[in-house]
C-alpha cells in the first residue's frame, strides 16, 4: 500500500507532498472572507473528474490528486464558487469564500428513505469492497474476566488473509479466512475449575475475527438486504463526519413481533460511495434467549453446572478506503453476561469478554507463510489450538516490543511476584524521572480548552501552561501520549520548535529563559487518547461509554498512567498548579461536570455548547477531569458550624433513584472527616458527587461509578451492623481522598499508598465514629483476608511504577495505620498527628520519608523500623 504523508497547516493554507511521483495530497482550510470563521461542508473538487472532498466542522479538508491536476473548484451553499490554483506549493494560500445571496422561489425537499439508502449500499457491495484475495496486517487483543479475576489475556501480531469472493459461488463452499500468527503472548487464569473456565472462555483464539467482518457476511448472502427488510425497521438518524467523510447514520431496530431479529444498532454509510464505513450493534434480550435455547448451551450448562442468567453483546466494526476500495479495519467487541452455579454457591457473577483488533496496513500481494504458523481451525481439538498459542511466546520479542511501544505496558506472560519482576523501559523513565528539563520550571496554572467529539471518539484543543522559571533554561519537557498529534506550540506570539520521544515532548525556546520570570506556552493538539487497559493497574485515560438510552457518557480518568494520556502538561505528581481552568465544547444536547465551579455556558454555532469551569486551589494533574452526558443536578448545603459548604449531586437524566436516600451519608461523612482530618480543603469549589462510568477521587468532583445510585441491596456496608441497605463504602473512600490524595498528595506514584492507605483507613474511622470502636475494628480486621503480601507497598521511584498488584497499598496500608495507632496508644496524640499532617502539608506533595519523620517527631518515638517492615517487606522476605 502507498503510504501518503501530508502536512496539515491549521493556519488556513494549502500544502502539498509528492507521493511516489504520482499523487499529491493537499490539506487546507476554508474560511469566511469577512469573519474568518471556518466553513464546514464546503465542496472541494476537480470539475469533470471524480476527485473531491468536503471540509470538516473546522473548515479543514484533505484531498489526494494526480500531480497533473493544478486547479480545484470550491463551492458551498450561501457562498460564491471560486477556482483555486494549486500549481504553487511554496507560498501559503488562504482559501476565502465570499457570501452570496441566492433567491429561491420554492424548494421541495424529498429526502431519501433509509430503506433506499440501505438498498443502494447493498447493491454496491461488489463495487465498493475488494473481493479479490488480499491480506491485512494487524494487532489483536482479547481479555476475559470473571468478576475481578482474569480468565485469559491474548495479545498478538497477526496477518489476516481473506480469500477471493465470487458472487457466482455459493458462500458455503468459500474458504474461510486464515490467520497467520507472527507473535503471540497469553496469560491464562489459575482456575482449578476447568468446567467453569470452559463456560466463560468464549473467545479463546483470534480465529473468530472472521465473524466480525459483517460486510463479508453480507456479500456471502446475496439476499441479506431483503432478509433484513423483513426483520428490521430503518430510519435516517443524522449526518456525521467520520475521518473527514460525510456519513449517513441509519438506525436499525427489530420490527414489532419479529422473532428472528436480534440486534439494535447503527449503520454508517459513506455519502460519496455508499459504502458501510462503520457498523455499531448491540444485542437485544431475544439474542440471549436464543442462545439459551440452543442444544449446545443446554448440554454444556447441564454438564458443567453453570447457567447464564442475563447478557448483552456489543460490536463495533469499521472499514477504511484504500485506493478506491474499502477494507476491513477494526473491531471493538464486548460481551457482558451473568453466570450462576448452585453447586458452587454463587449467583449472578459478571463475566466480561473484550476484543480489540486494528489493522496497520494492507499487505502488498498475496504470499504464503510457513504453514506451521497458521492458527489451527476451530474444528481441531481445543488442546491443539491451546498448545499452538502457548508455543508462540517469544520473550525477547515482547521485551523489545515493550521498549519500543508508545502506549504503555501490557502484562508479561510470567506473573510478577516482586518489585524486581518488571523490566523498566525508557518510556517509564521519561515519564517518572525528574530531570533538569522538568525541575527548571514550576507550573502555576493550566487552561485546558478542548472540544470533545463523541461520535469520532477524539479530542481537539489546546493546553495553556503558565510557569515560573526556576533556573535559566532554553529547553523544557512536557508530556503527551505519543499517538496524539501536536499541531503547534506558541510562546509570545511565536511558534516554538519541539521534538518527541515516546510520550515526552521537548520544547525549545529561542534562548535561555530568565530565572524568576513567568512564562506561558500554548500547546495545540488533537487525536484519540490512550485507551483503558484492564490488564494493568490504574491504566486509563478516557472512557467512551453510552448511557442506557445509547447517548454519549464520557469520563476522563488517568490516575496511574498519567494525565498526559489525554492532554499536554508537565505530567509529574511533584508539580501541582495553583489553580486551573477547564473549558469543554460538546454537542449542545449534552452536559459537562468538571472540577471546581461552573463559570459559564455559551452556545456556539453548529449546535455546540462551551462549558467553562474554574478550580481555585492546587490540583494534581490526574485529578483534572470532566464527565460528559445528559445530567441532572440536585443542590444542597452542609453547615459545619462555621460556614456553609455547597453540595451538588449530578445524576444521569434517566436515573429516577431517590437522591435523598443515596446521599444521606454525605453530611455525616463530612462531619466525621472534618472531626478527624480538619476542615474540608476546597470550600470555594464546593463538593460534588457525580454518577460516572468509573469511581475516582477527582478533586471537588468525586466520581462514584455507575452502580452507586442504583445500589439498594440489603447486604449492608459491613456485616452485623445496623440496617443500612446501601453500600456507602465507595462514597466514603473516594471522598476521603479530598484530604488524602487531593489536598495532601504524594510526589511519585511509588508513594501512592499515602493516598490509598489513609483513604481506606478513613472508611473504618467513619464506622467507628457512628457505630463504635468495636465496629470499626471489625471493619478493618475484615481486610486481612484480602492482603496478598507479594509486593512491597512502596514502589520503584522515578519510573511512574504501578506495574504490580496494588491491593496491598489499600488493605495492608490501612491495617498498618490501625496497628500504628495501637503502638502510639494515645488517641488524642494519634488524631492530632492526622490533623497535623493535613494542616502542615495542605495543598502540597510529600514523600514517605516526610510521613515517617512527621510521626517520629510528633510522637517523640522512632517508628523507622515499623514503617520499614510494613512498607518495604513482604511475606517472602519476612520469613
Amino acid at each position: 500500500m502507498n503510504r501518503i504523508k501530508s502536512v496539515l497547516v491549521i493556519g488556513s493554507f494549502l500544502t502539498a507532498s509528492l507521493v511516489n511521483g504520482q499523487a499529491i495530497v493537499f490539506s487546507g482550510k476554508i474560511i469566511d472572507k469577512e469573519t474568518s470563521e471556518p466553513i464546514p461542508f464546503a465542496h472541494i473538487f476537480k470539475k469533470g473528474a471524480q476527485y473531491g472532498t468536503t471540509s470538516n466542522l473546522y473548515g479543514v479538508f484533505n484531498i489526494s490528486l494526480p500531480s497533473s491536476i493544478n486547479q480545484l473548484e470550491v463551492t458551498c451553499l450561501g457562498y460564491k464558487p471560486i477556482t483555486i490554483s494549486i500549481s504553487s506549493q511554496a507560498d501559503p494560500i488562504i482559501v476565502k469564500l465570499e457570501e452570496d445571496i441566492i433567491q429561491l422561489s420554492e424548494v421541495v425537499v424529498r429526502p431519501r428513505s433509509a430503506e433506499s439508502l440501505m438498498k443502494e449500499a447493498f447493491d454496491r457491495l461488489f463495487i465498493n469492497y475488494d473481493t479479490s484475495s488480499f491480506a491485512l496486517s494487524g494487532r489483536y487483543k482479547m481479555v476475559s474476566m470473571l468478576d475481578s479475576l482474569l480468565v485469559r489475556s491474548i495479545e498478538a501480531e497477526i496477518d489476516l488473509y481473506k480469500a477471493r469472493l465470487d458472487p457466482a459461488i455459493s458462500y458455503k463452499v468459500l474458504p474461510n479466512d486464515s490467520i497467520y500468527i507472527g507473535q503471540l503472548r497469553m496469560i491464562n487464569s489459575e482456575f482449578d475449575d476447568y468446567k467453569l473456565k470452559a463456560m466463560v472462555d468464549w473467545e479463546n483464539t483470534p480465529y473468530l475475527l472472521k465473524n466480525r467482518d459483517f460486510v463479508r457476511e453480507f456479500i456471502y448472502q446475496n439476499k441479506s438486504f431483503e432478509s433484513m427488510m423483513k426483520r428490521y425497521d430503518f430510519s435516517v438518524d443524522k449526518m456525521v463526519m467520520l475521518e473527514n467523510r460525510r456519513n449517513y447514520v441509519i438506525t436499525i431496530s427489530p420490527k414489532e413481533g419479529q422473532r428472528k431479529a436480534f440486534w439494535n444498532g447503527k449503520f454508517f454509510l459513506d455519502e460519496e460511495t455508499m459504502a458501510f464505513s462503520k457498523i455499531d450493534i448491540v444485542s437485544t434480550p431475544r439474542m440471549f434467549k436464543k442462545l439459551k435455547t440452543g442444544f449446545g448451551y443446554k448440554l454444556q450448562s447441564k454438564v458443567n453446572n453453570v447457567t447464564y442468567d442475563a447478557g448483552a453483546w456489543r460490536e463495533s466494526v469499521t472499514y477504511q478506503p484504500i485506493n478506491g476500495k474499502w477494507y476491513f479495519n477494526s473491531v471493538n467487541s464486548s460481551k457482558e453476561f451473568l453466570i450462576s452455579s448452585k453447586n458452587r454457591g454463587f449467583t449472578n457473577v459478571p463475566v466480561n469478554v473484550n476484543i480489540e483488533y486494528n489493522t496497520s496496513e494492507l499487505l502488498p500481494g498475496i504470499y504464503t507463510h510457513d504453514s506451521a504458523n497458521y492458527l489451527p481451525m476451530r474444528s481441531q481439538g481445543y488442546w491443539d489450538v491451546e498448545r499452538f498459542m502457548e508455543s508462540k511466546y517469544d520473550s525477547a520479542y515482547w521485551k523489545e516490543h515493550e521498549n519500543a511501544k508508545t502506549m504503555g505496558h501490557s502484562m508479561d506472560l510470567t506473573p510478577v511476584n516482586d518489585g524486581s519482576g518488571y523490566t523498566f523501559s525508557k518510556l517509564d523513565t521519561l515519564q517518572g524521572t525528574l530531570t533538569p528539563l522538568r525541575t527548571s520550571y514550576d507550573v502555576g496554572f493550566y487552561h485546558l480548552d478542548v472540544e470533545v467529539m463523541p461520535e469520532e471518539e477524539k479530542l481537539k484543543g489546546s493546553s495553556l501552561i503558565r510557569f515560573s522559571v526556576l533556573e535559566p533554561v532554553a529547553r523544557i519537557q512536557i508530556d503527551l501520549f505519543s499517538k496524539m498529534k501536536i499541531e503547534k506550540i506558541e510562546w509570545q506570539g511565536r511558534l516554538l520548535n519541539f521534538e518527541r520521544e515516546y510520550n515526552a515532548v521537548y520544547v525549545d525556546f529561542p534562548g535561555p529563559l530568565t530565572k524568576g520570570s513567568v512564562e506561558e506556552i500554548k500547546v495545540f493538539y488533537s487525536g484519540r487518547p490512550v485507551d483503558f487497559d484492564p490488564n494493568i493497574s490504574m491504566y486509563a485515560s478516557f472512557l467512551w461509554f453510552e448511557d442506557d438510552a445509547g447517548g454519549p457518557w464520557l469520563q476522563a480518568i488517568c490516575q496511574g498512567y498519567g494525565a498526559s494520556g489525554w492532554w499536554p502538561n508537565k505530567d509529574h505528581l511533584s508539580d501541582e498548579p495553583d489553580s486551573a481552568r477547564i473549558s469543554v465544547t460538546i454537542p449542545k444536547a449534552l452536559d459537562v461536570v468538571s472540577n471546581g465551579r461552573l463559570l459559564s455556558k455559551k452556545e456556539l454555532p453548529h449546535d455546540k455548547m462551551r462549558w467553562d469551569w474554574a478550580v481555585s486551589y492546587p490540583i494534581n494533574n490526574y485529578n483534572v477531569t470532566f464527565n460528559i452526558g445528559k445530567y441532572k443536578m440536585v443542590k444542597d448545603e452542609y453547615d459545619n458550624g462555621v460556614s456553609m459548604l455547597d453540595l451538588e449531586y449530578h445524576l444521569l437524566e434517566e436515573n429516577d433513584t431517590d437522591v435523598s436516600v443515596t446521599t444521606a451519608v454525605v453530611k455525616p461523612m463530612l462531619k466525621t472527616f472534618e472531626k478527624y482530618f480538619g476542615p474540608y480543603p476546597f470550600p470555594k469549589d464546593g463538593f460534588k458527587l457525580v454518577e460516572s462510568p468509573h469511581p475516582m477521587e477527582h478533586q471537588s468532583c468525586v466520581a462514584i461509578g455507575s452502580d452507586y445510585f442504583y445500589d439498594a441491596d440489603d447486604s449492608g456496608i459491613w456485616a452485623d451492623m445496623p440496617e443500612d441497605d446501601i453500600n456507602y463504602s465507595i462514597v466514603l473512600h473516594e471522598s476521603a481522598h479530598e484530604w488524602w490524595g487531593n489536598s495532601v498528595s504524594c510526589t511519585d506514584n511509588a508513594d501512592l499508598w499515602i493516598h490509598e492507605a489513609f483513604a481506606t483507613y478513613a472508611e473504618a474511622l467513619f464506622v467507628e465514629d457512628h457505630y463504635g470502636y468495636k465496629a470499626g475494628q471489625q471493619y478493618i480486621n475484615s481486610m486481612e483476608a484480602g492482603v496478598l503480601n507479594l509486593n512491597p507497598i512502596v514502589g520503584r521511584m522515578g519510573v511512574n511504577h504501578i506495574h504490580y498488584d496494588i491491593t496491598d497499598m489499600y488493605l495492608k496500608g490501612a491495617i498498618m495505620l490501625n496497628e500504628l495507632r495501637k503502638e502510639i496508644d494515645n488517641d488524642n496524640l494519634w488524631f492530632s498527628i492526622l490533623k497535623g499532617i493535613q494542616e502542615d502539608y495542605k495543598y502540597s506533595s510529600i514523600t514517605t520519608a516526610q510521613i515517617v519523620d512527621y510521626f517520629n517527631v510528633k510522637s517523640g518515638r522512632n517508628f523507622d523500623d515499623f514503617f520499614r517492615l510494613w512498607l518495604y517487606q513482604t511475606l517472602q522476605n519476612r520469613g
Side-chain angles (χ1 to χ4, degrees):
M1 160 178 100
N2 290 334
R3 297 181 177 277
I4 298 175
K5 298 181 180 179
S6 63
V7 181
L8 173 60
V9 181
I10 299 300
S12 307
F13 58 86
L14 299 175
T15 61
S17 300
L18 190 63
V19 180
N20 297 334
Q22 297 177 349
I24 299 176
V25 62
F26 294 94
S27 303
K29 188 175 181 183
I30 314 299
I31 65 171
D32 186 290
K33 183 177 181 180
E34 293 297 322
T35 67
S36 296
E37 290 291 317
I39 300 176
F41 309 126
H43 187 197
I44 303 95
F45 64 99
K46 172 61 180 175
K47 187 179 294 185
Q50 293 183 344
Y51 299 103
T53 188
T54 56
S55 58
N56 65 15
L57 296 176
Y58 307 98
V60 176
F61 69 90
N62 294 276
I63 186 171
S64 179
L65 301 167
S67 56
S68 59
I69 294 179
N70 56 22
Q71 284 189 334
L72 289 174
E73 310 299 318
V74 182
T75 64
C76 186
L77 184 65
Y79 291 90
K80 294 179 180 179
I82 64 171
T83 300
I84 60 174
S85 172
I86 57 176
S87 58
S88 173
Q89 300 178 23
D91 299 327
I93 303 173
I94 188 166
V95 182
K96 302 177 181 179
L97 296 186
E98 184 178 351
E99 285 192 6
D100 192 15
I101 299 175
I102 302 174
Q103 185 66 43
L104 299 177
S105 56
E106 182 181 7
V107 176
V108 179
V109 180
R110 295 185 178 89
R112 296 185 60 184
S113 68
E115 289 80 6
S116 68
L117 291 171
M118 289 289 285
K119 186 175 188 307
E120 182 177 349
F122 276 91
D123 289 342
R124 290 183 57 85
L125 287 176
F126 284 94
I127 299 172
N128 284 327
Y129 296 89
D130 193 348
T131 57
S132 64
S133 297
F134 61 91
L136 300 164
S137 179
R139 184 171 185 81
Y140 171 88
K141 189 169 185 178
M142 186 279 291
V143 177
S144 59
M145 304 288 293
L146 172 64
D147 201 359
S148 61
L149 300 175
L150 178 70
V151 178
R152 183 190 294 264
S153 173
I154 299 173
E155 190 173 10
E157 304 282 0
I158 66 175
D159 292 344
L160 183 61
Y161 286 84
K162 294 192 169 286
R164 176 175 175 266
L165 296 177
D166 189 333
I169 301 176
S170 168
Y171 74 91
K172 293 181 180 179
V173 299
L174 288 174
N176 289 302
D177 295 344
S178 299
I179 294 177
Y180 173 85
I181 301 294
Q183 298 289 343
L184 182 145
R185 62 176 169 184
M186 178 173 61
I187 308 171
N188 282 320
S189 68
E190 297 180 353
F191 290 158
D192 294 325
D193 189 340
Y194 73 92
K195 291 185 176 181
L196 176 60
K197 183 169 182 278
M199 294 296 289
V200 303
D201 200 7
W202 279 19
E203 303 208 21
N204 49 33
T205 79
Y207 187 74
L208 290 181
L209 272 178
K210 72 184 188 68
N211 295 332
R212 265 61 187 220
D213 192 347
F214 296 134
V215 169
R216 197 170 180 84
E217 297 297 314
F218 295 157
I219 292 175
Y220 281 169
Q221 305 174 48
N222 293 328
K223 295 183 179 180
S224 56
F225 176 66
E226 287 75 12
S227 175
M228 290 182 68
M229 282 291 295
K230 293 177 182 178
R231 300 178 183 180
Y232 292 92
D233 289 322
F234 301 85
S235 63
V236 180
D237 186 5
K238 55 189 171 182
M239 181 77 77
V240 299
M241 298 293 293
L242 291 179
E243 299 297 332
N244 292 325
R245 301 178 71 98
R246 287 163 58 93
N247 277 254
Y248 294 102
V249 181
I250 311 295
T251 299
I252 70 165
S253 57
K255 287 182 179 293
E256 186 174 351
Q258 178 53 248
R259 307 183 72 179
K260 293 185 178 181
F262 306 109
W263 301 98
N264 288 302
K266 295 180 180 179
F267 285 57
F268 295 74
L269 303 184
D270 179 70
E271 182 189 37
E272 181 181 353
T273 64
M274 294 306 295
F276 294 99
S277 59
K278 185 179 181 183
I279 300 174
D280 287 343
I281 54 176
V282 59
S283 63
T284 64
R286 186 172 293 279
M287 165 69 83
F288 203 72
K289 291 179 181 178
K290 176 179 180 290
L291 173 69
K292 295 188 68 171
T293 61
F295 173 77
Y297 167 79
K298 291 179 179 179
L299 177 64
Q300 291 293 325
S301 62
K302 185 178 181 66
V303 169
N304 297 320
N305 296 304
V306 177
T307 60
Y308 297 163
D309 297 328
W313 183 351
R314 297 174 183 271
E315 295 282 342
S316 178
V317 177
T318 67
Y319 295 82
Q320 62 177 331
I322 302 174
N323 298 332
K325 292 288 185 179
W326 288 75
Y327 295 86
F328 186 55
N329 181 45
S330 72
V331 171
N332 277 280
S333 172
S334 172
K335 292 189 183 75
E336 304 169 355
F337 53 104
L338 301 177
I339 64 172
S340 299
S341 178
K342 289 184 179 179
N343 69 331
R344 294 176 178 86
F346 65 79
T347 303
N348 287 346
V349 175
V351 171
N352 291 275
V353 182
N354 293 287
I355 289 175
E356 297 175 15
Y357 169 74
N358 287 278
T359 60
S360 55
E361 65 177 318
L362 176 66
L363 297 177
I366 294 298
Y367 54 93
T368 303
H369 284 302
D370 177 23
S371 60
N373 285 325
Y374 280 95
L375 184 69
M377 307 295 278
R378 290 191 49 97
S379 58
Q380 292 186 227
Y382 168 84
W383 50 89
D384 290 329
V385 179
E386 193 87 349
R387 190 180 302 115
F388 170 87
M389 292 195 298
E390 289 175 348
S391 71
K392 296 306 166 189
Y393 179 69
D394 180 353
S395 60
Y397 169 84
W398 288 105
K399 285 183 180 179
E400 180 64 24
H401 168 78
E402 294 300 338
N403 289 337
K405 190 169 151 184
T406 59
M407 289 183 64
H409 305 282
S410 295
M411 290 178 68
D412 202 345
L413 182 70
T414 305
V416 176
N417 289 324
D418 56 56
S420 64
Y422 181 87
T423 302
F424 295 101
S425 69
K426 183 68 177 295
L427 182 144
D428 298 308
T429 304
L430 288 171
Q431 188 166 356
T433 302
L434 286 172
T435 68
L437 298 181
R438 291 169 135 182
T439 59
S440 58
Y441 72 103
D442 176 64
V443 176
F445 175 76
Y446 288 111
H447 181 191
L448 178 61
D449 187 353
V450 295
E451 179 176 0
V452 182
M453 293 160 275
E455 291 286 347
E456 300 178 54
E457 296 189 355
K458 290 183 179 179
L459 308 178
K460 182 180 180 66
S462 64
S463 173
L464 182 145
I465 307 173
R466 182 182 301 152
F467 60 92
S468 300
V469 180
L470 304 180
E471 296 293 339
V473 62
R475 167 177 274 204
I476 63 172
Q477 176 187 332
I478 60 174
D479 306 276
L480 180 65
F481 173 45
S482 62
K483 291 199 173 182
M484 299 195 79
K485 180 180 179 182
I486 293 181
E487 315 283 357
K488 60 182 177 179
I489 302 178
E490 292 182 345
W491 170 73
Q492 296 184 359
R494 305 171 61 174
L495 295 181
L496 297 180
N497 294 324
F498 61 90
E499 295 179 353
R500 306 193 72 172
E501 182 180 14
Y502 297 95
N503 298 342
V505 182
Y506 305 119
V507 183
D508 293 314
F509 296 90
L513 301 175
T514 304
K515 181 178 181 179
S517 65
V518 176
E519 307 288 347
E520 284 185 358
I521 62 172
K522 196 170 187 179
V523 184
F524 294 82
Y525 75 108
S526 62
R528 192 178 193 282
V530 67
D531 280 318
F532 171 70
D533 189 334
N535 274 340
I536 305 174
S537 299
M538 297 185 177
Y539 189 105
S541 166
F542 213 86
L543 303 179
W544 306 89
F545 278 56
E546 291 183 346
D547 58 26
D548 288 345
W553 188 26
L554 317 178
Q555 181 186 18
I557 172 173
C558 54
Q559 185 184 25
Y561 182 91
S564 56
W566 66 281
W567 63 284
N569 59 84
K570 179 181 177 181
D571 200 2
H572 199 277
L573 287 170
S574 63
D575 194 353
E576 298 183 357
D578 300 323
S579 59
R581 183 164 176 164
I582 302 107
S583 300
V584 185
T585 299
I586 54 168
K588 192 167 70 172
L590 300 174
D591 303 299
V592 178
V593 185
S594 186
N595 311 93
R597 296 278 188 177
L598 178 61
L599 297 180
S600 64
K601 290 165 52 179
K602 180 181 179 182
E603 289 194 26
L604 301 177
H606 312 299
D607 287 327
K608 296 178 183 178
M609 181 79 76
R610 175 188 170 99
W611 298 63
D612 289 293
W613 292 80
V615 179
S616 303
Y617 301 91
I619 182 171
N620 62 50
N621 290 357
Y622 78 71
N623 266 316
V624 173
T625 188
F626 48 73
N627 303 268
I628 295 175
K630 292 185 177 180
Y631 280 101
K632 59 184 177 183
M633 178 179 63
V634 177
K635 287 190 173 185
D636 199 356
E637 288 184 319
Y638 166 63
D639 184 357
N640 65 5
V642 178
S643 60
M644 301 296 290
L645 175 67
D646 290 336
L647 307 177
E648 292 180 3
Y649 309 123
H650 296 261
L651 287 72
L652 292 180
E653 278 187 355
E654 64 198 32
N655 192 333
D656 59 359
T657 189
D658 186 346
V659 180
S660 65
V661 174
T662 53
T663 61
V665 71
V666 170
K667 293 177 184 178
M669 172 193 70
L670 291 172
K671 183 177 181 180
T672 294
F673 289 169
E674 289 196 327
K675 172 182 175 181
Y676 291 129
F677 308 142
Y680 175 71
F682 312 109
K684 287 189 288 186
D685 287 350
F687 175 84
K688 293 188 286 294
L689 290 183
V690 185
E691 183 179 358
S692 61
H694 195 285
M696 187 65 200
E697 66 263 23
H698 296 129
Q699 184 170 310
S700 71
C701 184
V702 177
I704 52 176
S706 58
D707 297 327
Y708 175 73
F709 284 114
Y710 301 91
D711 185 2
D713 62 39
D714 56 5
S715 60
I717 180 175
W718 44 82
D720 302 322
M721 291 292 146
E723 298 111 23
D724 289 78
D725 60 357
I726 298 177
N727 191 332
Y728 291 128
S729 60
I730 191 65
V731 178
L732 298 174
H733 183 90
E734 303 304 342
S735 300
H737 278 306
E738 294 283 56
W739 287 263
W740 304 101
N742 300 350
S743 180
V744 176
S745 309
C746 64
T747 61
D748 190 291
N749 271 324
D751 283 341
L752 203 59
W753 75 270
I754 297 173
H755 299 199
E756 302 302 348
F758 280 98
T760 307
Y761 179 65
E763 299 171 36
L765 287 182
F766 177 85
V767 176
E768 177 180 332
D769 195 35
H770 290 267
Y771 303 102
Y773 177 79
K774 182 179 178 181
Q777 292 302 297
Q778 180 182 343
Y779 183 84
I780 204 163
N781 290 337
S782 68
M783 300 178 188
E784 290 183 6
V787 174
L788 300 175
N789 228 350
L790 297 177
N791 302 284
I793 291 178
V794 174
R796 191 80 65 89
M797 300 289 290
V799 288
N800 198 51
H801 180 36
I802 309 182
H803 305 293
Y804 53 94
D805 193 300
I806 61 175
T807 302
D808 282 5
M809 75 168 64
Y810 295 77
L811 306 183
K812 185 180 174 183
I815 295 169
M816 175 193 72
L817 294 174
N818 192 53
E819 292 301 309
L820 182 58
R821 176 185 179 183
K822 294 176 182 177
E823 286 287 330
I824 291 178
D825 196 23
N826 182 333
D827 273 0
N828 288 332
L829 176 59
W830 170 251
F831 289 116
S832 72
I833 293 175
L834 297 187
K835 270 191 177 180
I837 294 173
Q838 287 296 322
E839 292 172 0
D840 294 343
Y841 294 109
K842 193 173 187 178
Y843 311 141
S844 62
S845 300
I846 60 176
T847 65
T848 293
Q850 287 174 286
I851 289 284
V852 174
D853 287 344
Y854 198 90
F855 274 102
N856 289 345
V857 170
K858 295 298 182 180
S859 68
R861 298 169 59 182
N862 189 321
F863 287 105
D864 289 354
D865 289 341
F866 175 91
F867 281 104
R868 188 178 300 113
L869 177 69
W870 283 90
L871 295 177
Y872 295 95
Q873 295 190 31
T874 64
L875 183 66
Q876 286 82 356
N877 54 36
R878 284 173 61 192

